[in-house]
């Protein structure tokens, strides 16, 4: 079972996936976000995915996660997002082992795992560049990379470097991923695929189908 709610950390979402009764395949779609995870007593970081992340989950395994808005997690981790692209790594690989042991104990002793994750993030998440938020908002609103750079007064090379650091990939890839999210939301609301394609800026329904297959690894119908 999967549940989520808005977090006390601005722009973040808390979620929990409870254990399955038998081994199952888990497909995580790219969304431009990064997560701080707790599973089996270990703190992990899920980097930004450029395509669907598929893994096997053992029976009984559960996850609690804090999903950060696109571009914000590197301000907490102090690690460029591109270094974590398509990866799941222990937090101890990024921060000093002694500090991670202390934080692990804090999560265990907190009122809940969710509260422990929020405490960690709340203490360390600061200094998010407003420019990063503006880039994400413009691209999520459907602006082109060229228009985004012009609106923010950035050269496209600088925008690309900023995007690698904050999001883990260039702005064109981020725009594709964010558009996929908008398309899925509309498709799941019952809109026809042709209408979804036209509304979200795909050339046609075939273009939408190719992009979904490329980024998600399965047809749109399977996701809806």
């Amino acid at each position: 079972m999967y549940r989520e709610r808005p977090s006390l950390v601005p722009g973040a979402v808390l979620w929990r996936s409870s254990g399955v009764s038998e081994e199952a395949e888990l497909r995580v779609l790219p969304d431009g976000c990064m997560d701080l995870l707790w599973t089996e007593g270990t703190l992990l970081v899920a980097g930004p995915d450029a395509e669907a992340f598929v893994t096997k989950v053992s029976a009984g395994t559960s996850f609690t996660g804090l999903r950060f808005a696109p571009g914000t997690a590197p301000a907490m981790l102090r690690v460029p997002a591109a270094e974590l692209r398509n990866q799941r790594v222990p937090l101890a690989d990024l921060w000093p082992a002694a500090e991670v042991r202390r934080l692990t104990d804090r999560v265990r002793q907190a009122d809940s795992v969710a509260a422990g994750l929020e405490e960690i993030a709340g203490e360390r998440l600061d200094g998010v560049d407003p420019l990063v938020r503006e880039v994400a908002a413009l691209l999520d609103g459907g602006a082109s990379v060229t228009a985004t750079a012009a609106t923010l007064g950035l050269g496209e090379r600088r925008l690309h470097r900023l995007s690698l650091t904050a999001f883990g990939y260039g702005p064109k890839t981020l725009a594709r991923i964010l558009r996929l999210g908008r398309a899925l939301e509309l498709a799941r609301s019952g809109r026809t695929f042709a209408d979804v394609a036209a509304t979200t800026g795909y050339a046609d329904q075939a273009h939408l189908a190719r992009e979904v297959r490329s980024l998600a690894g399965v047809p749109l119908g399977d996701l809806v």
Side-chain angles (χ1 to χ4, degrees), residues 29 179-189 196 220 223-224:
L29 302 185
R179 181 168 62 174
L180 171 66
R182 298 195 303 275
L184 284 175
E185 185 176 358
L186 288 177
R188 287 167 174 161
S189 73
V196 169
L220 180 56
L223 298 176
V224 173

Side-chain angles (χ1 to χ4, degrees), residues 43-116:
L43 288 164
L44 303 172
V45 173
D49 295 319
E51 57 190 20
F53 182 87
V54 181
T55 187
K56 294 288 187 180
V57 178
S58 300
T61 302
S62 62
F63 296 87
T64 301
L66 184 61
R67 182 184 305 120
F68 296 91
T72 61
M76 182 196 76
L77 297 171
R78 305 295 189 264
V79 176
E83 295 184 11
L84 301 174
R85 183 171 57 238
N86 299 329
Q87 296 187 61
R88 304 297 186 269
V89 300
L91 185 61
D93 287 356
L94 307 178
W95 290 357
E99 181 179 5
V100 174
R101 286 195 297 271
R102 182 178 61 81
L103 294 174
T104 299
D105 288 340
R106 281 185 60 184
V107 174
R108 289 196 179 104
Q109 296 167 13
D111 291 340
S112 66
V113 170

Side-chain angles (χ1 to χ4, degrees), residues 19-25 57-60:
V20 293
S21 58
E22 58 186 28
E23 183 179 81
E25 181 179 271
V57 178
S58 300

Side-chain angles (χ1 to χ4, degrees), residues 114-147:
L117 295 180
E118 286 185 311
E119 287 177 9
I120 293 172
E123 291 173 357
R124 290 163 176 78
L125 183 60
D126 60 10
V128 178
D129 188 346
L131 198 58
V132 168
R133 300 185 190 277
E134 292 183 61
V135 169
L138 286 167
L139 293 176
D140 196 28
S144 68
V145 172
T146 299

Side-chain angles (χ1 to χ4, degrees), residues 30 50-52 176 180 208-218:
E51 57 190 20
R176 290 176 62 210
L180 171 66
L208 168 63
R210 290 193 301 272
E211 280 288 275
V212 172
R213 175 73 75 169
S214 173
L215 294 170
V218 294

